[in-house]
């Protein structure tokens, strides 16, 4: 094979894409359709509470177009990090939508591969004890036995290896659990014998679809054309084009380093890349390099429930209170602690966020002069929703009527936009596992399953 | 000139749940080169602007092909848990905006 084409419909399955762009892409007779569905961006509750990142309706709307086109063209369809977190429940959820679409369109005789990326707690525990599981970042908390046991489900990012194995089994549709975002793209390319560094670099660009075009978006399609010593990326909508800078700059996005990218068992180095505009809105890339790491490590992700939350939102317009908001909040906190003498103060936390002062950045905020009005969020977390809600209610009433020195607005301090004003939020999660774990190879921790559908 | 006016993209985002990464991209190679060569973007400056310890800053890197630089630092509170204020880390670029650059 001299040339391989991969169609990337959108940067996140369920975000949608113009049907016309997708049709343009299919005109090029791509060899595979690959779409990433995963991210940790929306926070730890996706993993912790096992919820999907998009609605079923949105996921099905995109998949219906992708699956029917893939089946008609007889090319593989690969979904990376199914459901967002790529956990067992999310893979099952995605697979059920795939099966529903196949049934509704009476498509038969396909081979469906599922690649599970869940890692048993015992495996992580044993690796921790062997010193083969280390935190990824200086502020990641140590993974104690207690925190590990409290973690709800752990996934690992797969590389290309288990996906290539599924392609070798002639799978038509591959639903992957958590995957390193570029891996499903790289797997197709490497399966067809293309060079690893170019395959991964192309995958890195295509996993966000048209985000590397100008204007950039994850909600439009892109085509990747891979050759022996270069690849080309091409926007599939007339209103966008790729430029040398837009494609080079793409590796900045959401990454800690602009040209060194760490993946499962490898490091991608894009420092020496050459980006050339071909004059038709597409860009050719050469010079990507990759090296295997001495020890194969996979990235683990896991989340645990840490508390329950209740909160309220209110506005403050009185200039006296605006000027001393943090002091008054501290005194409100003390009064609530005194009032609830029967609940130990370490059993809950009260927190205030003052928009118009430092709401967005907190202690990182360099500007310390308040606006003429403030938006105040008061939140309480505790081990149960009942305690969080009870304390929150007390914070609200205490704050509303708190008599600070010199007060003129003696009828109330807070403007509530809603009634009732307290909101029981439910569980709060935290990323408890964000670790690199040593493994034998890229296949050891991932399990492939096949079904004729 | 303020960095916000010199750059075409000035943004922040999570790079994973435990880091914030800030990107500045330029459309003019001369502007990019001047800022790179002036050395004004350094650990000490970023540490002052963000009021964080220098050891929390993991990367300050310029990438010539993309006409941009990147600053990455550790979050004190990870994304989406209690006391976090910016789940996506999407509005943490402000301290860099006001920085004066000599062009």
């Amino acid at each position: 094979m001299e040339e391989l084409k991969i169609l990337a419909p959108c940067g996140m399955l369920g975000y949608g894409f113009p049907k016309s762009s997708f049709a343009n892409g299919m005109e090029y007779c791509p060899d595979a359709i690959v779409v990433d569905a995963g991210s940790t961006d929306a926070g730890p509750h996706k993993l912790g509470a096992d919820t999907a990142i998009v609605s079923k309706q949105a996921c099905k709307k995109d998949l219906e177009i992708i699956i029917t086109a893939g089946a008609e063209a007889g090319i593989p369809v690969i979904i990376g990090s199914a459901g967002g977190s790529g956990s067992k429940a999310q893979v099952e959820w995605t697979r059920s939508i795939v099966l529903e679409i196949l049934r509704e369109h009476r498509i038969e005789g396909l081979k469906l591969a599922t690649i599970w990326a869940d890692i048993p707690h015992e495996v992580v525990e044993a690796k921790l004890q062997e010193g083969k599981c280390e935190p990824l970042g200086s502020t990641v908390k140590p993974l104690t036995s207690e925190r590990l046991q409290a973690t709800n489900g752990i996934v690992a990012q797969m590389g290309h290896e288990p996906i290539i194995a599924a392609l070798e089994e002639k799978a038509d549709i591959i639903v992957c659990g958590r995957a390193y975002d570029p891996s499903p793209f790289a797997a197709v390319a490497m399966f067809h014998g293309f060079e690893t560094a170019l395959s991964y670099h192309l995958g890195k660009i295509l996993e966000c679809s048209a985000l590397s075009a100008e204007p950039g978006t994850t909600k439009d399609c892109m085509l990747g054309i891979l050759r022996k010593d270069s690849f080309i990326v091409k926007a599939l909508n007339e209103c966008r084009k790729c430029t040398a800078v837009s494609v080079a700059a793409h590796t900045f996005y959401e990454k800690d380093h602009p040209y060194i990218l760490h993946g499962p068992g490898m490091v991608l180095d894009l420092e020496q890349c050459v980006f050339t505009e071909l004059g038709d809105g597409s860009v050719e890339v050469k010079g990507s390099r990759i090296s295997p790491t001495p020890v194969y490590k996979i990235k683990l992700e896991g989340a645990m429930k840490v508390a329950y939350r209740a909160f309220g939102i209110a506005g403050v317009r009185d200039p006296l209170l605006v000027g001393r908001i943090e002091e008054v909040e501290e005194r409100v906190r003390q009064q609530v602690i005194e009032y609830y003498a029967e609940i130990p103060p370490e059993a809950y936390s009260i927190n205030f966020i003052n928009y118009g002062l430092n709401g967005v950045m907190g202690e990182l905020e360099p500007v310390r002069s308040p606006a003429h009005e403030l938006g105040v969020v008061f939140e309480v977390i505790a081990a149960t929703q009942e305690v969080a809600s009870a304390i929150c209610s007390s914070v609200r009433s205490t704050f509303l009527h708190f008599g600070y020195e010199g007060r003129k607005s003696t009828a109330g301090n807070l403007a509530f936009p809603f009634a009732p004003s307290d909101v029981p939020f439910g569980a709060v999660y935290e990323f408890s596992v964000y670790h690199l774990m040593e493994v034998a190879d890229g296949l050891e921790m991932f399990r492939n399953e096949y079904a004729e559908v | 000139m303020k960095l916000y006016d010199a750059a075409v993209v000035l943004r922040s985002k999570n790079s994973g749940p435990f880091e914030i990464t800030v990107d500045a991209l330029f459309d003019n190679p001369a502007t990019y080169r001047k800022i790179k060569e002036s050395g004004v973007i350094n650990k000490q400056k970023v540490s002052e602007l963000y009021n964080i310890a220098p050891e929390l800053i993991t990367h300050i890197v310029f990438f010539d092909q993309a006409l941009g630089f990147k600053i990455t630092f550790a979050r004190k509170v990870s994304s989406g848990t209690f006391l976090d204020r910016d789940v996506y880390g999407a509005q943490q670029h402000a301290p860099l905006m006001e920085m004066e650059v000599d062009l």
Side-chain angles (χ1 to χ4, degrees):
Chain A
M1 192 180 236
E2 287 299 305
E3 193 174 87
L4 175 99
K5 301 191 198 82
I6 302 175
L7 174 58
C10 52
M12 169 71 72
L13 182 63
Y15 273 18
F17 47 85
K19 281 183 181 165
S20 55
S21 302
F22 187 82
N24 286 343
M26 291 306 293
E27 292 282 310
Y28 285 90
C29 300
D31 299 283
I33 307 172
V34 186
V35 64
D36 176 36
S39 181
T40 53
D41 259 357
H45 67 290
K46 301 287 169 202
L47 254 178
D50 244 335
T51 51
I53 216 160
V54 297
S55 67
K56 182 191 169 185
Q57 198 175 354
C59 180
K60 188 174 175 185
K61 198 172 150 77
D62 286 1
L63 266 185
E64 194 152 24
I65 298 169
I66 296 169
I67 298 267
T68 53
E72 195 181 327
I75 55 173
V77 168
I78 310 179
I79 302 159
S81 300
S85 65
S87 67
K88 181 169 181 284
Q90 296 308 305
V91 171
E92 284 168 348
W93 179 79
T94 305
R95 199 169 59 169
S96 73
I97 296 171
V98 169
L99 292 173
E100 200 172 293
I101 292 167
L102 293 176
R103 251 194 330 271
E104 286 170 7
H105 288 267
R106 301 176 192 282
I107 300 170
E108 289 172 349
L110 296 184
K111 191 167 191 174
L112 173 67
T114 308
I115 309 177
W116 306 100
D118 308 276
I119 309 295
H121 283 60
E122 310 84 79
V123 170
V124 179
E125 178 107 65
K127 293 276 185 183
L128 276 169
Q129 278 167 11
E130 290 171 53
K132 291 183 174 173
C133 188
E134 71 207 37
L136 185 52
S138 61
T139 54
V140 179
K141 292 178 190 162
L143 187 54
T144 59
S145 274
E146 293 72 41
R147 284 174 67 84
L148 178 61
Q149 290 319 314
T151 297
N152 173 33
I154 301 168
V155 293
Q157 294 190 1
M158 69 181 77
H160 56 276
E161 297 89 341
I163 308 169
I164 288 183
L167 289 166
E168 282 167 351
E169 290 290 327
K170 300 193 167 34
D172 300 291
I173 301 172
I174 306 175
V175 179
C176 306
R178 187 65 168 133
Y180 177 51
D181 295 347
S183 293
F185 299 87
V188 176
M190 293 167 69
F191 170 69
H192 287 284
F194 288 87
E195 203 259 327
T196 310
L198 290 172
S199 299
Y200 263 100
H201 190 185
L202 177 61
K204 172 62 207 151
I205 293 169
L206 289 186
E207 61 105 345
C208 292
S209 70
L211 198 60
S212 59
E214 205 52 76
T217 178
T218 52
K219 294 169 183 266
D220 205 345
C221 313
M222 282 278 272
L223 187 73
I225 305 165
L226 191 54
R227 294 177 178 156
K228 289 295 166 203
D229 59 356
S230 72
F231 66 83
I232 294 164
V233 282
K234 189 176 178 55
L236 292 166
N237 189 329
E238 275 179 10
C239 75
R240 299 176 211 292
K241 62 184 179 108
C242 294
T243 70
V245 171
S246 76
V247 175
H250 176 66
T251 47
F252 269 76
Y253 184 64
E254 295 183 338
K255 289 285 159 195
D256 65 334
H257 196 289
Y259 53 81
I260 304 287
L261 291 99
H262 296 265
M266 58 87 176
V267 182
L268 191 59
D269 180 351
L270 310 178
E271 189 177 12
Q272 305 299 329
C273 280
V274 180
F275 301 84
T276 312
E277 290 171 17
L278 298 182
D280 61 348
S282 65
V283 167
E284 183 174 30
V285 183
K286 285 183 181 180
S288 324
R289 294 185 299 186
I290 203 163
S291 41
T293 50
V295 178
Y296 200 113
K297 294 178 187 176
I298 52 175
K299 190 199 278 187
L300 305 181
E301 295 163 352
M304 64 186 263
K305 192 187 287 178
V306 287
Y308 286 84
R309 169 189 281 135
F311 74 98
I313 298 173
V316 174
R317 184 63 180 79
D318 188 284
L320 271 177
L321 182 53
V322 167
R324 54 202 299 186
I325 190 77
E326 287 178 324
E327 175 206 329
V328 169
E329 286 166 349
E330 190 44 45
R331 290 168 63 197
V332 167
R333 185 202 318 271
Q334 289 310 323
Q335 205 171 94
V336 170
I337 290 171
E338 281 163 31
Y339 175 72
Y340 268 113
E342 67 275 28
I343 305 178
E346 57 276 12
Y348 59 89
S349 289
I350 303 169
N351 181 42
F352 298 93
I353 302 175
N354 299 312
Y355 290 100
L357 179 65
N358 63 350
V360 171
M361 303 201 60
E363 60 180 26
L364 303 192
E365 176 57 61
V367 181
R368 293 297 297 187
S369 46
H372 72 278
E373 67 175 20
L374 301 178
V376 176
V377 176
F378 49 91
E379 63 166 328
V380 178
I381 62 154
T384 64
Q385 187 66 57
E386 195 185 356
V387 173
S389 294
I391 302 288
C392 186
S393 158
S394 180
V395 170
R396 186 236 315 135
S397 57
T398 307
F399 201 170
L400 176 61
H401 298 296
F402 192 83
Y404 56 89
E405 205 177 308
R407 179 166 77 143
K408 295 185 184 181
S409 63
T410 53
N413 300 322
L414 303 173
F416 292 105
F418 309 128
S421 50
D422 303 357
V423 186
F425 176 92
V428 179
Y429 295 87
E430 177 182 344
F431 280 105
S432 46
V433 180
Y434 197 68
H435 286 62
L436 284 180
M437 186 171 85
E438 293 183 19
V439 289
D441 56 43
L443 290 169
E444 187 190 4
M445 294 293 162
F446 305 97
R447 192 169 56 82
N448 290 23
E449 186 184 313
Y450 301 96
E452 303 293 334
V453 292
Chain B
M1 192 190 262
K2 288 192 186 341
L3 189 63
Y4 196 64
D5 299 318
V8 283
V9 170
L10 186 59
R11 67 185 177 193
S12 70
K13 187 83 196 277
N14 292 344
S15 75
F18 291 87
E19 281 179 344
I20 300 276
T21 190
V22 188
D23 302 336
L25 303 170
F26 305 87
D27 58 357
N28 178 344
T31 307
Y32 166 77
R33 255 196 315 276
K34 270 200 174 150
I35 291 172
K36 181 183 175 184
E37 283 160 12
S38 73
V40 289
I41 307 297
N42 57 56
K43 250 188 190 184
Q44 195 195 333
K45 186 74 196 173
V46 173
S47 151
E48 281 166 23
L49 285 172
Y50 279 89
N51 189 25
I52 51 172
E55 52 271 25
L56 288 180
I57 303 165
T58 52
H59 292 293
I60 298 178
V61 197
F62 286 77
F63 189 24
D64 297 349
Q65 288 95 315
L67 302 181
F69 67 83
K70 175 182 272 304
I71 299 166
T72 304
F73 55 86
R75 278 170 164 268
K76 286 183 188 163
V77 178
S78 65
S79 162
T81 194
F82 180 57
L83 297 181
D84 179 28
R85 291 162 178 265
D86 190 349
V87 172
Y88 292 77
Q91 285 291 307
Q92 303 301 313
H93 57 293
L96 215 58
M97 295 188 315
E98 301 292 317
M99 193 179 153
E100 283 291 335
V101 288
D102 207 3
L103 294 174

